Amino acid sequence: MSVEPATHGQGETAADPTADSTLMDATYSGVYGEIYRTHWWWRAREHQVLHYVGKHGRWAGRRAKVLDVGCGDGFIWRRLEPFADVEGIEPDRVLVAPDSPVRDRIEVADFVQGRPRGADHDLVLMLDVLEHIDDQGAALRRVASLLGPEGRGVITVPALMALWSEFDELSGHFRRYTRKSLRAALEGAGLRVLEVRYYYAWTVLPLFLRRLLFKADASEHSHFVKAPARPVNRLMYQLSRIDHWLTRRLPAPAGSSLIAVVSRTP
């Protein structure tokens, strides 16, 4: 029951951040790229993220400086590069193809322990990464240290511990969030919360039923979750786009994901 696909552990902290992840196959960068381009969940999330980037961006008339945390092989960059100079940081080297055209702009390292960077970023993306990091406070403090005076952070996470299941454990999650707990974590790290909303509200019931009725198996552990049949994929994508349009205008009381926009505290 693939309603919410397993995220790929892109922000997971490891003792040796350049070592191959035990959850990854050497071919995963290519396979995950195909999943990202076709699966309804990733397609709809990309549109949601870009909406908030456009809404809160403060770089009119110049190119933005962007850092994508847990960037994989720079899958979202094609949508950012028309207006931004993008770099990334990725702890799992198997997610970055050796011949990737953006390889020289990706630092393979643990996010918290990565090389020093200036407090001059217009945008920091952390997309379904924070839940993979044990010390969330350290990660969020580093986000705060990277933002320029008008910089913005866009952060997405899985929501509602009531939906916690073996699928989360196999995905390497430490937690799911509520709007209250995410806001507390962000503010505790010195970030100013500009907006925080649930989305994917329509998937809450299916995910709850999945928790009750289905057990994760080796196929979920491999993270090779393919898009469903084209008509189903298209329907779920359209449902998600409608869901995201509505939850931007009418705050939902719950959803299987959260999106937050932050700035550094003045």
Side-chain angles (χ1 to χ4, degrees):
M1 188 176 185
S2 180
V3 175
E4 179 188 60
T7 53
H8 66 290
Q10 58 192 353
E12 190 171 0
T13 301
D16 179 3
T18 63
D20 290 356
S21 167
T22 58
L23 297 179
M24 306 301 165
D25 182 274
T27 62
Y28 188 65
S29 60
V31 174
Y32 180 72
E34 180 63 19
I35 295 168
Y36 184 91
R37 288 187 294 271
T38 59
H39 196 288
W40 62 270
W41 191 91
W42 298 103
R43 304 295 347 112
R45 189 197 69 171
E46 181 179 86
H47 281 278
Q48 180 80 325
V49 168
L50 291 170
H51 167 81
Y52 284 96
V53 168
K55 178 180 178 181
H56 289 276
R58 295 293 183 272
W59 49 79
R62 60 181 176 84
R63 290 185 66 77
K65 182 176 181 179
V66 177
L67 180 67
D68 184 6
V69 179
C71 63
D73 205 15
F75 301 114
I76 198 174
W77 292 13
R78 63 186 178 84
R79 302 296 302 274
L80 302 173
E81 288 177 330
F83 63 85
D85 297 320
V86 191
E87 292 186 352
I89 183 167
E90 172 56 61
D92 283 311
R93 69 182 180 192
V94 295
L95 290 178
V96 185
D99 59 349
S100 170
V102 298
R103 179 65 185 83
D104 62 343
R105 288 188 276 145
I106 298 174
E107 178 189 5
V108 179
D110 176 272
F111 173 53
V112 175
Q113 299 173 7
R115 65 175 175 81
R117 295 174 182 266
D120 58 353
H121 291 79
D122 298 297
L123 176 65
V124 175
L125 296 177
M126 183 178 269
L127 307 180
D128 289 277
V129 169
L130 188 62
E131 68 274 13
H132 294 276
I133 300 176
D134 189 9
D135 190 347
Q136 65 175 1
L140 291 174
R141 287 191 294 274
R142 183 152 203 232
V143 171
S145 75
L146 294 168
L147 293 174
E150 294 293 316
R152 298 291 184 262
V154 176
I155 297 168
T156 62
V157 293
L160 306 180
M161 283 301 294
L163 300 179
W164 181 270
S165 71
E166 290 177 330
F167 297 89
D168 290 281
E169 294 171 7
L170 293 176
S171 296
H173 295 175
F174 286 97
R175 66 195 76 81
R176 299 179 75 99
Y177 293 82
T178 63
R179 185 162 47 199
K180 181 178 180 180
S181 69
L182 180 58
R183 178 182 287 274
L186 296 168
E187 292 178 343
L191 291 161
R192 178 186 177 195
V193 179
L194 304 177
E195 193 165 2
V196 57
R197 290 176 181 266
Y198 289 108
Y199 67 110
Y200 280 125
W202 78 269
T203 68
V204 170
L205 180 58
L207 283 172
F208 186 73
L209 292 175
R210 182 181 75 169
R211 174 185 177 180
L212 295 178
L213 302 175
F214 293 85
K215 291 184 70 66
D217 57 27
S219 66
E220 297 293 340
H221 190 283
S222 73
H223 300 260
F224 286 80
V225 181
K226 295 181 179 179
R230 186 172 296 180
V232 176
N233 199 53
R234 186 181 301 116
L235 174 62
M236 289 184 166
Y237 173 77
Q238 293 299 336
L239 284 173
S240 299
R241 291 297 303 278
I242 293 168
D243 171 290
H244 299 172
W245 185 87
L246 289 172
T247 54
R248 293 171 199 157
R249 291 157 177 80
L250 301 171
S256 64
S257 290
L258 280 156
I259 188 164
V261 182
V262 299
S263 66
R264 74 185 198 189
T265 302

